[in-house]
Amino acid sequence: MCQPGNFNFDIIKRKGSVSMESIVVFDSGLGGITALIEAIHAMPHEHFIYYGDTLHVPYGPKDPDTIKSYLDHMMEFVAPYHPKAVLLACNTATVTAADYLRHRYRLPIIGMEPAVKPAIERDGENKRILVLSTEGTSRSQRLHSLVERFDNDHLVDILPLPNLVDFAERLEFDTDDVRADLEAILSSFDLDDYGAVVLGCTHFIWYRDLFLDLLPKGVEVLDGNAATIRQLMRKLNGNICREGAGSLAIHLTGKRREDVMAFLKKTLPMDFSEIPKGHYE
Ligand code: DGL
């Protein structure tokens, strides 16, 4: 059901739930904001809940059972907001738990996969492709199967970047430290052999311009956001608000940070309210 305006949290407190349906966008932290921005542009009349598990970020080094338990907690938390779909705007959560969640919950759960297929299918004159991801995604059977399925010419290399998620959570986007970290890691590759770099973690998308700056001219930098939002819209199967004011409510599980709130206010294309900590926890 589509209604104008923001969620009223006092009503949620009193009655236990709201009548409005929402689209939940999930990430371990601030990476999924990049996907949320695209989703808002594509569906400006929708009601979005953004759940960032900043208490537990990074997910990359964590074991699968722990990640699944965090996602179960998220599903419980968002239930009163009547999600009509949950977007896992997190490659690590997708490779670890998308199937698990789909078995447990009866609503569309849309995952996010590194853009390996589009990278292979572009006209790359047989140049190599570098897939950047978290440790968890780089180890996952799901990513390796995806690569095996499409990489007939054995052009794909997978590289975990251990520090970029933490940099992003600290809102360090183009500092000397970030540059030095990326330059050190990329220096072991002959980057002139590469035609494309895939940003296989939503946190890395904040660094698109920096990658373009560090990589040789002509290397394409791809991510999966646009394709994932199209998939989300397909799964909503017409159940998309077409009129009225949209809304956005944000819940970050970690300690409230003024710098993060100021960053979100500056970056997001619409006003938002905060779902306070302690709500349904
Ligand atoms: N943004 C996430 C991803 O796309 C997870 C990063 C992390 O928490 O390690 O993989």
Side-chain angles (χ1 to χ4, degrees), residues 27-28 31 57-61 89-92 134 137 165 200-203:
D27 182 45
S28 60
V57 69
Y59 275 21
C90 174
N91 297 262
T92 312
T134 64
T137 302
V165 171
C201 166
T202 48
H203 279 78

Side-chain angles (χ1 to χ4, degrees), residues 253-264:
T253 58
K255 199 166 172 290
R256 189 177 187 285
R257 279 171 49 193
E258 284 303 334
D259 59 341
V260 167
M261 287 306 150
F263 170 72
L264 293 176

Side-chain angles (χ1 to χ4, degrees), residues 4-207:
N6 278 319
F7 288 112
N8 180 335
F9 298 111
D10 289 334
I11 292 179
I12 300 170
K13 234 185 222 158
R14 268 183 279 127
K15 294 189 180 166
S17 100
V18 281
S19 55
M20 203 189 286
E21 288 185 322
S22 63
I23 296 175
V24 171
V25 179
F26 166 86
D27 182 45
S28 60
L30 302 177
I33 295 287
T34 61
L36 173 68
I37 291 170
E38 291 213 23
I40 292 172
H41 284 307
M43 295 174 279
H45 306 289
E46 268 304 339
H47 302 286
F48 291 97
I49 305 275
Y50 185 82
Y51 184 107
D53 196 3
T54 49
L55 184 63
H56 299 117
V57 69
Y59 275 21
K62 298 207 163 63
D63 75 88
D65 284 344
T66 304
I67 293 175
K68 284 175 190 162
S69 73
Y70 296 154
L71 288 163
D72 275 330
H73 186 79
M74 178 273 292
M75 293 300 285
E76 261 170 56
F77 181 91
V78 301
Y81 303 94
H82 300 293
K84 55 184 174 185
V86 173
L87 170 62
L88 300 176
C90 174
N91 297 262
T92 312
T94 302
V95 296
T96 311
D99 290 340
Y100 166 82
L101 294 175
R102 285 178 190 133
H103 280 115
R104 279 172 78 88
Y105 303 95
R106 288 170 160 274
L107 79 169
I109 305 219
I110 293 88
M112 175 144 233
E113 268 174 0
V116 170
K117 184 169 177 263
I120 291 172
E121 284 175 350
R122 80 194 207 299
D123 181 14
E125 295 158 0
N126 260 20
K127 284 205 148 194
R128 301 200 66 75
I129 293 161
L130 189 58
V131 178
L132 305 175
S133 72
T134 64
E135 290 155 77
T137 302
S138 72
R139 278 195 307 264
S140 71
Q141 188 49 47
R142 198 159 161 148
L143 176 59
H144 288 273
S145 306
L146 181 72
V147 171
E148 265 163 41
R149 193 147 30 109
F150 298 107
D151 186 20
N152 299 327
D153 297 326
H154 304 287
L155 293 173
V156 173
D157 297 313
I158 298 170
L159 175 68
L161 295 182
N163 303 326
L164 215 46
V165 171
D166 289 338
F167 276 125
E169 291 296 319
R170 291 202 297 270
L171 304 178
E172 272 197 54
F173 294 116
D174 189 357
T175 60
D176 290 346
D177 286 350
V178 180
R179 277 184 178 258
D181 182 71
L182 287 180
E183 274 165 356
I185 292 179
L186 294 174
S187 67
S188 53
F189 290 84
D190 189 349
L191 294 171
D192 289 322
D193 291 346
Y194 287 81
V197 166
V198 174
L199 304 179
C201 166
T202 48
H203 279 78
F204 300 175
I205 299 173
W206 292 116
Y207 297 92

